[in-house]
Amino acid sequence: MPENLFRVLSLDGGGAKGFYTLGVLREIEALIGCPIHERFNLIFGTSTGSIIGALLALGKPVPDILNLYKEHVPTVMQKKAPDEKSEALAALSAIVFGDAKFEEVKTNIGVVATRWVEERPMIFKANIVQAHGMKATFAPGFGVPIGEAVQASCSAYPFFNRKIVVTEKDERVELIDGGFCANNPTLYAIADATVAMKIPPESIRVVSLGVGTYPPKPLSKLSLDYWKRKSPGVQLLQKTLEINTQSMEQLRAILYKHIQTIRINQSFSEPTMATDLFEHDLDKLNVLTQRGAQSYGEREEELKSYLL
């Protein structure tokens, strides 16, 4: 395989279902025999994908990220009120990222969030070569710490509070989950590679990882009435994000069919696989990891042609 390939890794949002993504990535890392950041030139992530992507870009091995997920994600997801969920997410960010800056990443990165007021994307990037304009005032991550950018990307409103960040320009920006604009960030990643970074399309190889699709969790009458009163509902939020995911994938297949892409996002129909983005049963989450590994196995030979 030519050494001049430009490899892109794109990681979907999906809350706790990121355990599926980690199952795929654990196998990929074992395949290539080196840290993910050494093989991929650009990593984009939304929501849970932004946590995983940022940690990969900082040099964390996949098994270490999986252990962090096992230890902390169920704690965040089992919280009930938005304040509690946001506080738990902030605590997780402090543990995982500390005061890490975008200048510290070891490969190019994109963390996707959504501007609440302007209703458009805000993508945190580390390298000026990814900028599509305003290069004179470019600051890695807009001057925002990685942990705060990731919190913003994960703030699935209204179940989490909106996240306010302060940029290098001393601008206060109110943000919500990146999944509202690009739960599948592959299009944004390809745009960076082809337009901003000017990589020839024939040199690009994209690995786009979803979180899997599953039957909805059954709700008791009591809990259904509660969510109807308090919010649009978990199932509505999840459906919104999944529609976004599939729409972005369909556009990618139309607009960038000439760019070689492997998309891994298997669907599961068994009732035992019923879950949602707020899953906190560790046994179920471990099953998602196993299913991710199995999904990898079905595409292993194609992945070898991209990565070895």
Side-chain angles (χ1 to χ4, degrees):
M1 183 59 65
E3 287 300 315
N4 64 346
L5 287 183
F6 187 93
R7 298 179 177 93
V8 176
L9 178 63
S10 175
L11 306 174
D12 284 14
K17 294 182 291 181
F19 275 81
Y20 172 91
T21 309
L22 287 166
V24 181
L25 286 169
R26 184 174 59 185
E27 300 303 318
I28 288 177
E29 190 170 71
L31 171 70
I32 62 179
C34 66
I36 294 289
H37 75 268
E38 293 185 7
R39 193 57 51 94
F40 286 92
N41 307 92
L42 177 62
I43 300 175
F44 254 69
T46 297
S47 198
T48 195
S50 76
I51 301 175
I52 298 168
L55 288 170
L56 293 173
L58 287 167
K60 282 280 187 183
V62 175
D64 288 1
I65 301 174
L66 183 55
N67 286 336
L68 287 170
Y69 262 57
K70 289 177 180 178
E71 183 177 357
H72 297 290
V73 168
T75 301
V76 176
M77 294 308 180
Q78 67 186 354
K79 301 295 184 183
K80 300 300 183 186
D83 286 349
E84 294 175 339
K85 272 187 162 61
S86 296
E87 288 171 6
L89 179 61
L92 169 59
S93 173
I95 292 168
V96 171
F97 293 107
D99 58 358
K101 307 294 185 184
F102 277 89
E103 291 89 337
E104 298 173 36
V105 298
K106 303 175 186 296
T107 191
N108 300 303
I109 187 173
V111 170
V112 182
T114 304
R115 292 176 180 262
W116 172 252
V117 175
E118 295 93 334
E119 300 172 345
R120 61 187 179 90
M122 182 171 183
I123 305 178
F124 298 85
K125 305 176 183 182
N127 194 337
I128 193 172
V129 301
Q130 294 174 251
H132 293 263
M134 295 188 290
K135 293 189 176 185
T137 57
F138 178 87
F142 301 101
V144 175
I146 291 177
E148 291 194 25
V150 167
Q151 287 179 62
S153 183
C154 294
S155 292
Y157 184 78
F159 299 98
F160 289 79
N161 294 333
R162 301 191 291 271
K163 173 68 177 176
I164 295 176
V165 300
V166 180
T167 70
E168 180 87 359
K169 299 176 183 178
D170 202 31
E171 297 172 338
R172 288 170 56 84
V173 185
E174 194 170 12
L175 299 169
I176 59 173
D177 196 294
F180 288 105
C181 59
N183 201 52
N184 169 0
T186 308
L187 273 179
Y188 291 176
I190 292 175
D192 270 19
T194 56
V195 179
M197 305 176 82
K198 304 189 186 308
I199 306 299
E202 62 271 16
S203 297
I204 298 173
R205 299 293 183 273
V206 179
V207 177
S208 174
L209 303 183
V211 296
T213 59
Y214 310 89
K217 294 180 73 171
L219 294 173
S220 69
K221 185 177 185 300
L222 178 62
S223 62
L224 180 59
D225 289 344
Y226 174 82
W227 289 117
K228 279 184 177 178
R229 290 196 306 269
K230 294 293 185 180
S231 72
V234 174
Q235 292 192 36
L236 177 58
L237 173 63
Q238 183 154 288
K239 180 64 71 174
T240 299
L241 297 179
E242 288 176 355
I243 291 170
N244 179 290
T245 296
Q246 300 304 330
S247 297
M248 297 294 277
E249 173 59 15
Q250 187 173 17
L251 279 173
R252 181 208 59 79
I254 294 170
L255 298 175
Y256 293 111
K257 61 184 178 182
H258 58 296
I259 293 179
Q260 294 190 44
T261 300
I262 295 174
R263 173 72 175 167
I264 300 179
N265 188 43
Q266 193 168 352
S267 295
F268 304 97
S269 59
E270 310 96 303
T272 56
M273 291 300 296
T275 191
D276 60 37
L277 69 165
F278 295 124
E279 183 65 66
H280 53 267
D281 181 338
L282 195 52
D283 289 337
K284 174 65 70 65
L285 296 172
N286 283 331
V287 171
L288 298 193
T289 306
Q290 295 170 37
R291 290 301 183 100
Q294 293 166 10
S295 296
Y296 158 87
E298 295 180 10
R299 308 297 294 275
E300 184 174 45
E301 293 306 312
E302 294 173 84
L303 287 164
K304 284 180 180 178
S305 72
Y306 277 35
L307 302 175
L308 298 183

